Amino acid sequence: MLIAESPRNKSFRITMASVEKVSTERKANPAKSFITGGFGGICNVLSGHPLDTIKVRLQTMPRPAPGEQPLYKGTFDCAAKTIKNEGVRGLYKGMSAPLTGVAPIFAMCFAGYALGKRLQQRGEDARLTYSQIFVAGSFSGLFSTLIMAPGERIKVLLQTQQGQGGQRKYNGMIDCAAKLYKEGGLRSVFKGSCATMLRDLPANGLYFLSYEILTSEYKRRYDRPNVDLFPAIIAGGMAGIFYWIGGMPADVLKSRLQSAPEGTYKHGIRSVFVDLMKNDGLLALYRGITPVMLRAFPANAATFFGIELANAFFRIVAPDF
């Protein structure tokens, strides 16, 4: 004898199925994230380096004397003067350092994020809360700083030389690294590591959290198992904006510390902060924000374009990876 299922039981079963679908996700794979993150990082540098050069030059330009005009009046003035004095290639100065290191930097960052998620996932299909995603994102900053700090130091020095009217001291990435090591050993090469970590821990948390919120909402609303390419690009661009909203003040301090001659700031980032507050005020912590925001969306959209492209490739050739 067949017994018809009551509407109440049927509704309950459908609701539980929906909850199960929303509350599960495949366990994070650090190895896969290492590969896809590296590919996304290359896309990031190629699309965003010129505006990064402008950002660094605005952050590190010398303080004008009373009655004098600043070296750069803003983003477009900095770009115009750089192109006039050094050609278009001037906007790409220092790109060899991040381009050489970007694959391992982003690879370590995304692998660290996946590992941070995996350490918090209790089951194979356990879905993390947004606070846990923020923690996992911040955890990724510990991994990337080991490679990023010396690369950032070299990049900043290459970007700022000649930009302030000085003589060319370094003839590329290798020459810069060699001279830094000769002058101050590994300590000089890794100068600004604490400032880099101070930027990346909270900023990486916001970066991954905002991306997960936006893509999860898209998948929920349109009932999709994976995020499509165009929404991933939009979410990636927005994630980049949130990263710099949280990371900009520490980045300004880092750039000034890394570009300053040895002995300028005796107590490191604390001395930079005190000097900046005393002479320039609170708004100086967001100096260079215009090129940063102009760069943040397209560069990070390119990052997640590369990552989702790599993920789509793996879904075809190695679906169980």
Side-chain angles (χ1 to χ4, degrees), residues 127-151:
R127 187 177 182 85
L128 297 181
T129 64
Y130 287 140
S131 60
Q132 288 175 313
I133 287 171
F134 180 84
V135 170
S138 298
F139 183 73
S140 72
L142 295 174
F143 283 75
S144 59
T145 298
L146 296 173
I147 304 173
M148 185 173 283

Side-chain angles (χ1 to χ4, degrees), residues 35-47 98-99 102-103 105-107 110 299 302-304 306-307:
I35 298 169
T36 58
F39 184 69
I42 293 172
C43 297
N44 179 290
V45 173
L46 292 175
S47 61
L99 195 57
V102 75
I105 287 170
F106 273 76
F110 278 83
T303 299
F304 281 95
I307 288 170

Side-chain angles (χ1 to χ4, degrees), residues 74-133:
T75 299
F76 297 105
D77 182 56
C78 179
K81 287 179 178 176
T82 298
I83 294 171
K84 180 182 177 181
N85 297 325
E86 304 165 57
V88 174
R89 292 181 63 184
L91 295 173
Y92 287 89
K93 281 189 172 179
M95 191 173 75
S96 56
L99 195 57
T100 301
V102 75
I105 287 170
F106 273 76
M108 290 292 287
C109 181
F110 278 83
Y113 173 57
L115 182 59
K117 289 173 70 178
R118 193 177 184 90
L119 290 173
Q120 297 180 88
Q121 287 175 314
R122 298 305 177 193
E124 192 61 31
D125 294 321
R127 187 177 182 85
L128 297 181
T129 64
Y130 287 140
S131 60
Q132 288 175 313
I133 287 171

Side-chain angles (χ1 to χ4, degrees), residues 4 38 54 57 60 71 99 111 120 143 181 197 262 269 276 307:
I54 294 170
R57 290 192 171 188
T60 60
L71 181 61
L99 195 57
Q120 297 180 88
F143 283 75
Y181 184 78
M197 190 175 295
E262 290 295 330
I269 194 171
L276 207 63
I307 288 170

